[in-house]
Amino acid sequence: MEGSSIPSTSDSVVGAIAPRIGMSISPPEVSSIPHVSGTDSSTPVMINSPVFVSRDTYDPTQEGGETQQEGTEDTNRQQGDEAEDDGKFRVPKRNKTSEAWEDFDDLEENGIYYAICKHCSKKLNRGKTKQTSSMWRHRENCSVRKAKLRKAERQTKINFQQANERFPTVPSLHTGKFDMETMREAAAHWILMHEHPFTILEEEGFNIMMKRGWPEWQKISRMTAKKDCTQVYEIEKKKLKNLLRHVQKVSLTTDMWKSKNQKIEYMVVTGHWIDGNWKLQKRVLNFVHIRPPRRGVEISDAVFKCAKEWGIEGKIHTISVDNASNNDVAVRLLKDDFGRCKKLLGGGKLFHVRCCAHILNLMVQDGLKDIVDICENIRDSVDFVNKSDGRALLFAEIAQHLQIPGNKSLHDCRTRWNSTYEMLNCAIKYKEVFPRFQVREPLYESCPSSEDWEKVEKVCTILEKFYTATHIISGSEYPTSNLFLPEILKVKKLLDARVNDEDDFVRSMITRMKLKFDKYWKECNFLMSIAAILDPRQKMRAIEFAFPKMYSAYEAQENITYVRKAIFELYDEYVAMATSGSAGTGCSLNPASEIVCPPRASADYWDDLDEYCGELESDEPHKSELVDYLDKPRQLPGQNLKDFNCLDWWKINRSAYPVLSQLAADVLAIPITTVASEATFSAGTRVIDSYRASLAPKTVQTLMCAGDWCRNLHGVKKKLKPQKALKEYELPNA
């Protein structure tokens, strides 16, 4: 037989291997093929070698090429497996399933099995039982393997350039490996942030989408999602507890809400403070079920228990509540409880903050009494139009025919005047549409008259000032206590200007609103005044300007004197805390530890210098920070008022006013409304919908609190629950 048959066979073997390893390999020479001896030989055999050649494949002494050719073809068919069949019984090899084999080669020598490390070439004896425990130990301790993994990790990280900085918690470097544990955590954050049900992760379409992006994705059941959300709640709660340990003063807001689906009442407690970067922070601390009777005692116990749980019972600065009588009792009890933990600043004058938005609401509700029937007609009209798609389409066609821009009308919340104002203000635009709609729709009977629309227009003109003021003082992402004085002064000017209006309807409405205004602001609002002074755009000049317009001459001067005295007393308390070392960051008045003193001079060092300077220098005492701050001209606001940030100003000037800046931070963090707590209830209506009415109160608290924390973590703003609106239709040529 000619020797050319062997290279051709090797050519086919190499041709099958070369494409897999991505390189060209020339066929080996016949002489290069190793000779494998019998079982009695001591020569080692590599079991998982790429090409296993039987000793019977080629024998130069054998006569007859057919036998050799058949043996060669049989070897080609069985390459990578066992040798050609020699008539002996053999058990098929079981595939190696252990992950350890990724780093080892198998070796058999004299009936003993070994494993050779692919990284450091160390040979491990596996014994007759062929265990992999020694391989696992070496795999964890192999220094060469660890070095390769570190290098591979550095090289395989992909730098994903973020399209924007909206999601600061998403890393730009990624290993590219799929991590199901991380995906489960992200899914829990997604559910919590956007109030999704647990079952959203079981939806087929969602899992198909995830499988296409990541084939390793595993379906998450609703029970697993609930456990993951609970775990996220515990993790974020621990982080928030550690954060609150470094906070000096915390202001609270609280409010009550009754779930219509569960028929039980919840109380939310929200904390507000200024962090080390001079940013206003807000977190929902508790969302608990409060059992009846919900008297002041039960409310105070729930709030104090919340503060105790978070370890802030000695850090409570103020508490903001609405004007319900049970809240007055609760605040009085809490003032005593927190006063025992730590002395309240200002003798507790700042502790009780009445919700200013609630006061404005009471004023406006009194003013709306004369148009209750008109508001009801407009409300019924909006409901009638929205009851069917045909009516809504007809209404939109009439509006288009009259060339009225927009084609939707809002529902309102009966208990919130600003919602009623938005509904009336929107309905005024369609006052010409409703009569024409009545002609085409015989069942429509609540169409307002032209006189009704005139009254509504007058009311909306007056309520516009209240609406603007409410929006400004109801913010939770910026300080509001320093903004209330100018807004309430605008309301006072409006009431004084229209109290003697020629129109009997307007005069009657303004008179009732002014009586309510005088009831709540007859006494000087201490917080409103102090916060205005600590605004560098206002200072004491704002008090001297506003009080004569709000009070009589005698009362104005008396209140100015009272406020000036009170702020100096409050400042002295902060100086005492700073001197005793109990103040917060930025209040230290003892920087001497950072100063390096020069060597001591001789006893006769310029003895006459002190005498000379004593004759020339005045005996004027050093100005305090508060006096220096008030004596300097106020900060000009500039053309765009939104560009000025009061906290940024104090952050820049905190080195000049270390004590006063801490006082400003504590006062400016006080919310003057409970809107921050009330806003949580809009999410509550989605969390406890009709399909989730059986949620346990503990689970509700987990969802509400963790959702707020995750939104703050990822910088996601909560979307308020949209009001029902008239359906929009695509009209021809619109």
Side-chain angles (χ1 to χ4, degrees):
M1 177 182 178
E2 297 180 358
S4 58
S5 63
I6 299 300
S8 63
T9 303
S10 301
D11 210 0
S12 64
V13 173
V14 175
I17 299 176
R20 299 182 183 180
I21 62 176
M23 59 184 295
S24 60
I25 303 177
S26 57
E29 297 294 337
V30 176
S31 60
S32 65
I33 300 177
H35 176 73
V36 183
S37 59
T39 56
D40 57 344
S41 175
S42 60
T43 305
V45 179
M46 296 297 294
I47 296 177
N48 55 348
S49 178
V51 181
F52 182 81
V53 183
S54 173
R55 64 186 180 188
D56 298 330
T57 300
Y58 174 67
D59 188 353
T61 62
Q62 184 177 355
E63 298 291 335
E66 293 181 1
T67 305
Q68 298 171 11
Q69 183 69 24
E70 291 176 359
T72 304
E73 292 176 355
D74 189 36
T75 302
N76 293 334
R77 288 193 302 267
Q78 299 181 7
Q79 69 166 353
D81 301 322
E82 297 180 348
E84 67 179 68
D85 188 8
D86 55 1
K88 295 181 179 180
F89 178 80
R90 301 192 179 193
V91 178
K93 287 187 178 181
R94 185 173 61 89
N95 293 332
K96 299 180 177 67
T97 59
S98 176
E99 186 180 345
W101 285 111
E102 296 178 0
D103 300 295
F104 289 90
D105 287 327
D106 198 4
L107 175 67
E108 181 186 358
E109 188 177 31
N110 294 332
I112 301 176
Y113 294 90
Y114 298 92
I116 300 178
C117 179
K118 294 181 180 179
H119 307 289
C120 63
S121 302
K122 185 175 181 179
K123 185 165 69 172
L124 305 177
N125 188 346
R126 298 176 57 210
K128 295 183 179 180
T129 57
K130 304 180 184 180
Q131 295 181 355
T132 60
S133 56
S134 60
M135 298 165 55
W136 279 106
R137 287 193 297 270
H138 178 78
R139 189 171 183 263
E140 296 296 326
N141 299 323
C142 182
S143 58
V144 180
R145 177 179 177 272
K146 290 181 179 179
K148 290 182 179 179
L149 288 177
R150 286 193 296 268
K151 182 178 179 181
E153 185 178 358
R154 290 193 299 268
Q155 292 178 347
T156 57
K157 280 190 175 181
I158 305 173
N159 188 358
F160 293 100
Q161 186 67 29
Q162 295 184 12
N164 52 55
E165 298 180 356
R166 184 179 175 185
F167 305 106
T169 57
V170 179
S172 57
L173 289 178
H174 197 273
T175 60
K177 295 182 178 180
F178 179 82
D179 188 352
M180 189 61 199
E181 184 177 353
T182 304
M183 295 297 291
R184 282 176 54 178
E185 182 185 12
H189 282 230
W190 174 48
I191 290 175
L192 293 169
M193 283 192 297
H194 301 290
E195 295 103 20
H196 290 309
F198 298 132
T199 54
I200 194 172
L201 300 179
E202 295 181 338
E203 292 182 355
E204 289 79 2
F206 172 79
N207 283 277
I208 291 173
M209 176 186 69
M210 299 301 292
K211 275 286 187 181
R212 288 191 178 181
W214 294 279
E216 303 92 339
W217 169 265
Q218 301 172 11
K219 186 177 180 180
I220 303 174
S221 67
R222 61 181 181 275
M223 296 305 297
T224 302
K226 181 181 178 180
K227 292 178 181 178
D228 292 344
C229 290
T230 303
Q231 186 177 0
V232 169
Y233 168 79
E234 296 296 338
I235 293 173
E236 295 302 322
K237 183 178 181 179
K238 186 177 180 180
K239 291 180 182 178
L240 184 55
K241 259 190 175 180
N242 294 332
L243 178 63
L244 289 173
R245 289 177 184 174
H246 305 286
V247 177
Q248 299 299 320
K249 292 286 186 296
V250 179
S251 294
L252 301 179
T253 59
T254 182
D255 206 353
M256 309 284 288
W257 173 71
K258 185 174 183 180
S259 171
K260 294 182 179 179
N261 295 315
Q262 290 186 327
K263 309 300 182 184
I264 61 177
E265 196 155 0
Y266 289 90
M267 184 180 73
V268 59
V269 180
T270 310
H272 307 257
W273 69 92
I274 304 293
D275 64 10
N277 294 322
W278 286 81
K279 301 295 182 183
L280 182 61
Q281 298 293 336
K282 174 188 72 70
R283 298 290 189 279
V284 175
L285 301 180
N286 282 71
F287 195 92
V288 296
H289 167 46
I290 181 168
R291 300 182 182 278
R294 288 168 285 276
R295 301 170 299 177
V297 177
E298 285 79 18
I299 295 175
S300 65
D301 289 344
V303 174
F304 189 81
K305 182 180 178 181
C306 167
K308 192 80 174 177
E309 179 185 356
W310 288 97
I312 57 174
E313 65 273 14
K315 302 180 180 181
I316 302 302
H317 192 204
T318 65
I319 181 168
S320 302
V321 293
D322 59 27
N323 294 282
S325 58
N326 56 352
N327 284 332
D328 292 338
V329 177
V331 171
R332 187 168 61 251
L333 296 173
L334 288 171
K335 190 174 182 180
D336 295 336
D337 293 338
F338 290 131
R340 291 189 183 95
C341 299
K342 192 173 183 179
K343 181 182 177 182
L344 298 176
L345 294 174
K349 297 176 184 177
L350 292 173
F351 184 75
H352 186 189
V353 180
R354 296 184 181 274
C355 178
C356 297
H358 187 255
I359 296 174
L360 291 176
N361 184 38
L362 295 176
M363 294 172 57
V364 175
Q365 293 293 354
D366 280 356
L368 291 175
K369 286 182 178 179
D370 287 343
I371 61 168
V372 172
D373 295 337
I374 301 175
C375 292
E376 193 66 31
N377 284 341
I378 296 177
R379 189 179 292 115
D380 293 341
S381 299
V382 174
D383 291 338
F384 183 85
V385 172
N386 281 277
K387 277 188 176 179
S388 71
D389 293 344
R391 295 173 185 173
L393 181 60
L394 176 61
F395 190 90
E397 290 176 347
I398 297 173
Q400 184 197 27
H401 178 72
L402 296 176
Q403 298 181 355
I404 298 176
N407 56 352
K408 64 180 180 179
S409 180
L410 297 176
H411 287 269
D412 73 315
C413 177
R414 297 170 183 264
T415 58
R416 301 185 66 85
W417 75 267
N418 52 343
S419 175
T420 303
Y421 167 79
E422 291 176 350
M423 183 266 292
L424 296 176
N425 200 36
C426 182
I428 290 175
K429 301 177 182 178
Y430 304 101
K431 64 180 182 180
E432 298 179 3
V433 179
F434 286 103
R436 300 198 179 197
F437 178 77
Q438 186 179 27
V439 175
R440 293 169 174 78
E441 183 58 57
L443 297 178
Y444 175 47
E445 299 176 350
S446 56
C447 181
S449 63
S450 57
E451 293 80 7
D452 293 340
W453 287 115
E454 290 179 4
K455 291 182 179 180
V456 170
E457 289 177 347
K458 293 175 183 178
V459 169
C460 289
T461 303
I462 296 172
L463 296 187
E464 184 178 2
K465 293 288 185 183
F466 289 85
Y467 183 80
T468 304
T470 302
H471 269 266
I472 292 176
I473 66 176
S474 299
S476 59
E477 299 178 356
Y478 55 85
T480 56
S481 55
N482 60 313
L483 304 177
F484 188 56
L485 180 60
E487 296 303 322
I488 204 64
L489 182 59
K490 294 176 184 177
V491 172
K492 172 66 174 177
K493 288 181 177 179
L494 172 66
L495 296 177
D496 291 342
R498 304 293 295 272
V499 70
N500 295 319
D501 196 270
E502 297 178 355
D503 192 311
D504 294 338
F505 170 76
V506 175
R507 185 170 62 252
S508 175
M509 180 179 66
I510 293 294
T511 300
R512 287 194 302 272
M513 297 174 71
K514 194 173 186 304
L515 289 175
K516 188 72 71 174
F517 181 92
D518 294 337
K519 174 184 176 181
Y520 284 101
W521 280 292
K522 184 177 182 180
E523 296 182 1
C524 177
N525 189 307
F526 181 62
L527 172 61
M528 176 180 67
S529 306
I530 296 297
I533 294 174
L534 294 174
D535 189 327
R537 299 168 296 177
Q538 302 181 55
K539 297 190 176 182
M540 200 68 195
R541 300 295 184 190
I543 305 298
E544 297 169 352
F545 171 78
F547 278 16
K549 301 180 182 299
M550 299 177 61
Y551 309 102
S552 64
Y554 174 77
E555 291 176 337
Q557 188 58 44
E558 190 179 40
N559 288 334
I560 291 174
T561 305
Y562 165 73
V563 170
R564 180 182 288 273
K565 180 181 178 182
I567 192 173
F568 272 90
E569 291 176 352
L570 188 60
Y571 170 74
D572 290 340
E573 291 186 40
Y574 272 79
V575 172
M577 287 192 301
T579 305
S580 62
S582 61
T585 304
C587 286
S588 176
L589 295 179
N590 185 22
S593 59
E594 302 177 1
I595 300 176
V596 179
C597 299
R600 187 171 183 177
S602 59
D604 58 348
Y605 176 74
W606 274 22
D607 290 338
D608 54 347
L609 177 62
D610 294 337
E611 182 180 353
Y612 171 77
C613 295
E615 296 175 356
L616 298 179
E617 294 177 350
S618 62
D619 295 333
E620 182 181 355
H622 176 69
K623 288 184 178 181
S624 67
E625 294 179 20
L626 181 57
V627 173
D628 180 69
Y629 168 76
L630 296 177
D631 286 347
K632 288 183 178 179
R634 66 186 186 92
Q635 176 75 31
L636 296 178
Q639 295 181 352
N640 192 352
L641 298 177
K642 295 182 180 180
D643 292 339
F644 182 83
N645 190 317
C646 193
L647 292 178
D648 287 346
W649 189 93
W650 282 107
K651 179 180 179 181
I652 295 171
N653 294 274
R654 67 186 183 276
S655 58
Y657 306 107
V659 177
L660 191 60
S661 62
Q662 186 63 45
L663 170 60
D666 293 340
V667 172
L668 294 175
I670 301 173
I672 60 174
T673 68
T674 60
V675 173
S677 293
E678 292 176 1
T680 311
F681 303 147
S682 64
T685 56
R686 294 191 293 270
V687 172
I688 315 174
D689 57 17
S690 57
Y691 298 99
R692 308 176 76 184
S694 60
L695 283 177
K698 187 176 180 180
T699 305
V700 173
Q701 175 169 256
T702 298
L703 296 175
M704 299 301 299
C705 293
D708 178 74
W709 303 340
C710 289
R711 282 188 291 270
N712 279 278
L713 175 65
H714 297 286
V716 177
K717 293 184 179 181
K718 186 180 72 172
K719 296 181 180 179
L720 298 178
K721 184 179 180 181
Q723 294 177 325
K724 295 180 181 179
L726 187 68
K727 297 179 181 179
E728 298 184 8
Y729 293 90
E730 293 294 335
L731 299 177
N733 301 324

